[in-house]
Amino acid sequence: MKIAYSGLKKFIQTEKSPEELGLILTNIGLEVESLDKVQSIPGGLEGLVIGEVIACEQHPNADRLRITQVNIGASDNLQIVCGAPNVAMGQKVVVATVGTTVYPNTGEPFQINKSKIRGEVSEGMICAEDEIGLGGSHAGIMVLPEDTPIGIPAKSYFNLEDDFVFEIGLTPNRADAASHLGVARDIAAYLRIPLQMPDLSTFQASSQESPIKVQVIDSEACPRYSGIYITGVEVKASPDWLKNHLNSIGLRPINNIVDITNYVLHELGQPLHAFDADKIKGQQVLVKKLATGTPFTTLDEVERKLDADDLMICDSQGPMCLAGVFGGKDSGVSETTQNIFLESAYFNAVSVRKTAKRHGLKTDSSFRFERGTDPDMTLIALKRAALLIEELAGGKVSSSIIDEYPTPLTPYEVEVSYNGIQKLIGKAIPAEEIKDIILALGMQVLSETQTGLSLAVPRYKVDVTRECDVTEEVLRIYGYDNVEIPTKVNASLAYAEKPNKEQIQQTIADLLSANGFLEIWCNSLTKGAYAKNEAEAVHLLNPLSSDLNVMRQSLLHPAMEVVAYNQNRKQVDLKFFEFGKTYHLIDGKYVERPRLAILLTGLRLSEQWNQAAQPTNFYQLKAAVDAVLNRLGLNNFQMSESDTADLAYGLKYFRGDKTLVQFGAVSAADRKQTEVDKDVWFADFDWQYLMEAIRKNKIINKEVSKFPAVRRDLSMLIDKAVSFETLKGIAFKTDKKLVKEVQVFDVYEGNKLPEGKKSYALAFILQDEEKTLTDKQIDAIMQKIMHNLAQSAQAEIRTA
């Protein structure tokens, strides 16, 4: 949200600089993400001064040039060669001195340098209005009135003031700060200075009734509806001050009527809508809901089908406006409009939010109504806009104010205790200071005791309904930095369940980080299109957008979006991990499943003078997976091919019917869906089951064996379908005590072998921890292994 410094100064009188106010805003919970200088004219006329032409002679070497002497109030006059046909002695002019950068209406900015023009020195430039952004004429130089003082900056003469714009990261609960007034209100509370509201004393409503009759049929969706009838308006371009202000806060000026409604919206936080009164059929405004499927064409010329829950502003023949969201094509203000009906209403936040989401519309109006506006602001904003319309459009208020407000909304009543506030904040703030802050924030004290206050909280503070909310408001203004860190910390010993999940998670995070992985945190909300099991999908009842309408069923797709984001910015060599949860609806119950994801893509080794670039591959991912399981002490598991739809191919480690992890290459369909064009390797751990599995782990300390280990190698011919894990399992079953390790050191498949066969070379590490193995014992064990391999795996032993 953009807030102009000049807009704030209309509500508060302070000498604080924009930088100082930016720091204050951040400290009181309105984080300033950026502070930019804004100039109504590019360059702000910097370096330009007012001068007087005291001499003007024909250039000796050019018929169309003149040599002038210009007094700019300095000790020496400037000699300037000028080609304007209207330059003459005695004129007051705008002069760009040497070193000044000039910003013309067309073309690139350029710097004024001391130069020779046709052999004569020129020490500046006498400016035309289009050369400095003050107009469109290039017929000649600008000639100022005779009484214009010389030597003053052009910026001062033309009353140009630089403005500053704060970009504020507004949190959803701070609807009260969605305007210049709201932000100024917080600053005034912090500085303990008065808040100055716009002067409405000159507003005068007509005694005549409005020819436009208003009927609110659905008062639940529209608790308050105010309006006024204004005649004789002239729709034209807004004055420069209004256009400059709107441009500075990111709004495009349209015409004076629309610009006024936008100006008041951002000034006071109250959305307004101006109808062409002559287009309101039957001279009736009906606030109601219409039947499902009713067609309605909005300002963007899109025909939309209404829902029965959409609140509409209608005339006697049909809809004119989506209440609080978007206007209609045929009822808005145009160049031919002469009479307007100005609307200022308070709509139900839930109703507006659902309508905006349903139709995929997000406007400045719906942004505020969705979060909650101030029902007491409708008349203030109406009068403010009416005065501006009278001033800038020549309109006349021709009716009394219409105000349909059958059930006035009362302030929130909250009981607070000084002790409760002090306890939550963690500091003994004096009761009088707490009360001062509360009053400065616009809350009223209904009654007071020695221990606390009974408060009436204004309706614009939609999130302040409890004592803890009031405490937060007090702390914001008091200052988080004013709450000291205590020198004494009280703690109590607590039993920690084994294993310590947080500690284990940190251990694995440290392991992965040490191996070059970066931790990511992805949004649990994601696209419904990513849900592969629709029956288990957890849909949001009121999603923020169509891209965030379902809880994730896998960590894959959000992580792939991170990959796409980085690859689009030329960051292609990525190693990520994430601890997170997936969400499922199973048998009518919501289930959360903790997971760990590992993801690799790009190059494993970059190109060097002595090596070629090497891409990441399955075995690099497998090494990471094995490292995690080994660090957790989980080595006893089975292995098979992956059976998840997320992977094109891969492996699965499991125990019985419980899966520890599935890992492999991300499917082409998932890469296409997330717009990733490179190979990606992904591992998905069932973190909850891993935590259950390691409970049975026992830490055993033992001495390093004093007796040597021996190695024996076997080469064998086996069926291609037989895996190394199968052979490894047979060896360990043969003698669990003496067989310590089995490794494969050669694999061969080729046309020299029988069809359907492959050759494996295995190394067996044997060791007895109580004595040295003899050759006889070793040969006996190897004979058993060869026999079992032949029997169980139909292995044909080739060498020993």
Side-chain angles (χ1 to χ4, degrees):
M1 183 185 70
K2 294 182 183 293
I3 295 293
Y5 178 67
S6 60
L8 294 177
K9 296 273 283 185
K10 293 179 181 178
F11 292 101
I12 52 176
Q13 296 300 316
T14 177
E15 298 303 318
K16 298 287 186 183
S17 68
E19 292 77 12
E20 290 173 317
L21 285 186
L23 183 60
I24 289 172
L25 289 172
T26 298
N27 287 339
I28 61 179
L30 297 174
E31 182 181 0
V32 175
E33 297 175 344
S34 66
L35 175 61
D36 299 314
K37 186 176 181 179
V38 176
Q39 296 174 319
S40 57
I41 294 178
L45 303 184
E46 297 287 351
L48 275 66
V49 297
I50 305 301
E52 180 181 5
V53 180
I54 59 175
C56 181
E57 300 176 354
Q58 182 66 43
H59 194 294
N61 302 318
D63 294 339
R64 296 186 178 182
L65 298 179
R66 291 175 174 80
I67 301 173
T68 66
Q69 298 293 323
V70 183
N71 177 14
I72 61 169
S75 57
D76 296 322
N77 297 327
L78 300 180
Q79 177 171 301
I80 298 176
V81 177
C82 180
N86 64 329
V87 64
M89 187 174 67
Q91 290 174 335
K92 299 294 179 67
V93 294
V94 179
V95 179
T97 56
V98 172
T100 297
T101 299
V102 176
Y103 294 79
N105 287 346
T106 58
E108 296 296 321
F110 60 92
Q111 189 176 55
I112 302 299
N113 298 312
K114 184 176 181 179
S115 60
K116 280 191 175 183
I117 300 177
R118 294 289 184 95
E120 297 294 332
V121 173
S122 183
E123 300 175 297
M125 182 177 80
I126 303 175
C127 303
E129 63 180 36
D130 69 325
E131 293 172 329
I132 55 177
L134 286 175
S137 173
H138 194 68
I141 60 171
M142 286 186 72
V143 179
L144 305 178
E146 293 181 1
D147 59 352
T148 304
I150 64 173
I152 65 171
K155 183 175 184 177
S156 300
Y157 175 76
F158 290 104
N159 293 320
L160 291 186
E161 291 187 7
D162 294 333
D163 202 357
F164 293 84
V165 173
F166 303 93
E167 182 74 41
I168 294 178
L170 194 66
T171 53
N173 65 314
R174 292 304 311 277
D176 61 302
S179 65
H180 287 76
L181 169 61
V183 175
R185 186 190 291 123
D186 269 12
I187 296 174
Y190 180 83
L191 297 176
R192 305 292 203 281
I193 58 178
L195 185 70
Q196 299 175 344
M197 293 295 290
D199 182 11
L200 305 178
S201 60
T202 58
F203 175 83
Q204 288 185 345
S206 172
S207 59
Q208 297 180 354
E209 288 189 8
S210 170
I212 307 297
K213 306 302 179 186
V214 174
Q215 183 180 2
V216 179
I217 297 173
D218 192 333
S219 58
E220 181 179 351
C222 178
R224 187 173 194 177
Y225 190 93
S226 307
I228 199 167
Y229 183 65
I230 302 175
T231 59
V233 300
E234 180 186 359
V235 179
K236 57 184 179 180
S238 297
D240 288 342
W241 71 265
L242 180 52
K243 290 193 287 188
N244 291 338
H245 178 80
L246 294 179
N247 281 322
S248 72
I249 58 175
L251 297 179
R252 179 177 62 88
I254 299 173
N255 59 56
N256 52 354
I257 302 299
V258 175
D259 292 349
I260 287 169
T261 61
N262 285 332
Y263 177 80
V264 174
L265 162 65
H266 286 267
E267 180 187 44
L268 301 178
Q270 173 61 44
L272 303 171
H273 190 75
F275 295 94
D276 187 326
D278 298 325
K279 296 178 182 178
I280 301 177
K281 299 177 178 63
Q283 293 191 322
Q284 280 186 307
V285 171
L286 305 174
V287 185
K288 62 179 182 177
K289 295 175 181 176
L290 299 177
T292 297
T294 302
F296 175 62
T297 302
T298 45
L299 276 172
D300 54 1
E301 299 186 352
V302 174
E303 184 179 289
R304 306 175 189 275
K305 300 297 183 182
L306 300 180
D307 186 90
D309 289 330
D310 292 334
L311 185 68
M312 303 298 298
I313 310 300
C314 308
D315 59 19
S316 62
Q317 295 186 20
M320 298 189 296
C321 177
L322 276 166
V325 181
F326 209 28
K329 176 185 176 183
D330 300 324
S331 62
V333 171
S334 65
E335 293 179 357
T336 60
T337 297
Q338 295 181 341
N339 307 310
I340 64 172
F341 179 74
L342 189 61
E343 167 196 282
S344 179
Y346 174 76
F347 296 116
N348 180 278
V350 175
S351 174
V352 173
R353 182 165 57 248
K354 288 183 176 180
T355 294
K357 296 293 182 279
R358 198 157 31 235
H359 295 285
L361 294 170
K362 190 174 183 63
T363 63
D364 284 340
S365 175
S366 67
F367 176 84
R368 285 156 180 82
F369 279 127
E370 287 176 16
R371 287 158 176 78
T373 56
D374 182 4
D376 296 327
M377 186 57 65
T378 60
L379 297 186
I380 296 173
L382 198 65
K383 293 176 182 178
R384 173 69 166 151
L387 287 173
L388 287 172
I389 290 172
E390 287 182 332
E391 177 186 349
L392 305 181
K396 178 183 178 183
V397 176
S398 299
S399 76
S400 58
I401 291 179
I402 299 169
D403 189 21
E404 294 292 324
Y405 198 15
T407 309
L409 299 172
T410 58
Y412 307 109
E413 293 190 8
V414 182
E415 301 287 336
V416 298
S417 67
Y418 294 128
N419 183 60
I421 291 175
Q422 293 166 346
K423 186 176 180 181
L424 279 175
I425 290 177
K427 182 176 180 179
I429 303 173
E432 197 59 36
E433 186 167 3
I434 292 175
K435 181 181 175 182
D436 286 346
I437 293 174
I438 287 173
L439 292 174
L441 285 166
M443 304 181 211
Q444 294 181 352
V445 176
L446 300 178
S447 62
E448 181 179 4
T449 65
Q450 289 185 345
T451 59
L453 302 169
S454 177
L455 303 176
V457 180
R459 297 290 300 196
Y460 59 75
K461 289 189 173 295
V462 295
D463 69 325
V464 182
T465 57
R466 304 165 297 171
E467 182 182 62
C468 59
D469 300 327
V470 176
T471 301
E472 181 183 0
E473 291 289 284
V474 170
L475 180 56
R476 282 196 309 109
I477 303 304
Y478 179 74
Y480 297 100
D481 293 341
N482 293 325
V483 179
E484 301 84 359
I485 298 175
T487 57
K488 176 184 176 184
V489 177
N490 296 322
S492 58
L493 295 176
Y495 170 75
E497 183 181 358
K498 301 295 183 181
N500 187 319
K501 296 180 180 179
E502 288 75 19
Q503 185 178 0
I504 295 295
Q505 180 171 319
Q506 190 60 49
T507 298
I508 298 303
D510 289 345
L511 169 70
L512 293 170
S513 297
N515 283 275
F517 287 83
L518 300 176
E519 185 171 7
I520 58 175
W521 288 354
C522 297
N523 198 340
S524 296
L525 305 179
T526 188
K527 297 180 182 179
Y530 292 159
K532 295 185 176 179
N533 187 345
E534 182 60 32
E536 291 188 5
V538 179
H539 291 275
L540 273 67
L541 294 177
N542 191 23
L544 293 172
S545 72
S546 58
D547 288 341
L548 300 170
N549 61 349
V550 71
M551 304 292 284
R552 62 184 178 186
Q553 291 185 343
S554 168
L555 301 189
L556 173 63
H557 295 97
M560 291 290 285
E561 289 182 343
V562 177
V563 172
Y565 180 90
N566 281 270
Q567 288 185 348
N568 290 339
R569 288 155 181 80
K570 307 302 181 183
Q571 302 296 318
V572 295
D573 304 328
L574 307 171
K575 298 170 72 175
F576 292 145
F577 72 94
E578 179 186 11
F579 289 97
K581 292 181 179 180
T582 59
Y583 304 86
H584 312 266
L585 180 61
I586 300 175
D587 296 330
K589 296 181 179 180
Y590 294 107
V591 177
E592 297 182 8
R593 293 173 176 168
R595 316 292 292 186
L596 165 63
I598 294 178
L599 187 144
L600 295 166
T601 186
L603 296 180
R604 180 171 66 91
L605 294 174
S606 60
E607 184 179 15
Q608 302 290 338
W609 67 271
N610 60 347
Q611 69 178 27
Q614 297 182 25
T616 55
N617 54 43
F618 173 81
Y619 298 101
Q620 185 184 2
L621 176 66
K622 184 177 184 297
V625 170
D626 291 343
V628 169
L629 295 178
N630 185 62
R631 186 65 184 83
L632 293 173
L634 298 174
N635 301 308
N636 183 21
F637 48 80
Q638 298 168 281
M639 182 177 65
S640 67
E641 290 187 11
S642 172
D643 57 8
T644 175
D646 290 340
L647 303 178
Y649 61 87
L651 291 178
K652 176 173 76 171
Y653 291 169
F654 63 96
R655 287 180 175 179
D657 62 347
K658 297 288 188 179
T659 299
L660 279 72
V661 60
Q662 298 210 51
F663 59 97
V666 175
S667 69
D670 287 320
R671 287 194 287 112
K672 181 178 180 181
Q673 194 174 27
T674 52
E675 300 180 355
V676 174
D677 57 2
K678 300 288 191 300
D679 288 336
V680 179
W681 308 94
F682 179 75
D684 179 23
F685 292 83
D686 186 339
W687 189 251
Q688 184 171 346
Y689 177 62
L690 294 182
M691 292 301 97
E692 295 174 1
I694 63 176
R695 287 179 181 173
K696 301 177 182 179
N697 286 358
K698 293 183 179 180
I699 299 176
I700 300 175
N701 296 313
K702 59 181 181 180
E703 292 185 48
V704 176
S705 178
K706 300 176 182 178
F707 305 100
V710 295
R711 168 175 166 162
R712 292 291 184 267
D713 297 343
L714 287 180
S715 178
M716 63 196 73
L717 198 64
I718 56 176
D719 292 338
K720 285 187 176 181
V722 177
S723 67
F724 167 68
E725 286 296 319
T726 300
L727 303 178
K728 182 179 176 181
I730 292 171
F732 279 117
K733 286 182 180 179
T734 300
D735 196 321
K736 295 180 180 180
K737 179 181 177 182
L738 299 183
V739 177
K740 299 299 182 184
E741 191 175 346
V742 182
Q743 299 173 347
V744 56
F745 64 87
D746 187 49
V747 178
Y748 175 75
E749 295 183 31
N751 53 17
K752 295 181 180 180
L753 298 178
E755 186 177 351
K757 296 291 185 178
K758 61 183 177 182
S759 174
Y760 265 18
L762 303 183
F764 299 87
I765 308 299
L766 310 177
Q767 185 182 39
D768 190 330
E769 297 179 359
E770 298 177 353
K771 60 183 178 181
T772 301
L773 290 172
T774 65
D775 288 341
K776 185 176 180 180
Q777 290 174 307
I778 295 169
D779 290 342
I781 294 170
M782 293 306 299
Q783 287 297 326
K784 288 181 182 180
I785 291 175
M786 288 188 286
H787 174 78
N788 290 340
L789 289 173
Q791 290 293 319
S792 301
Q794 288 74 52
E796 180 182 336
I797 307 301
R798 305 179 72 181
T799 59

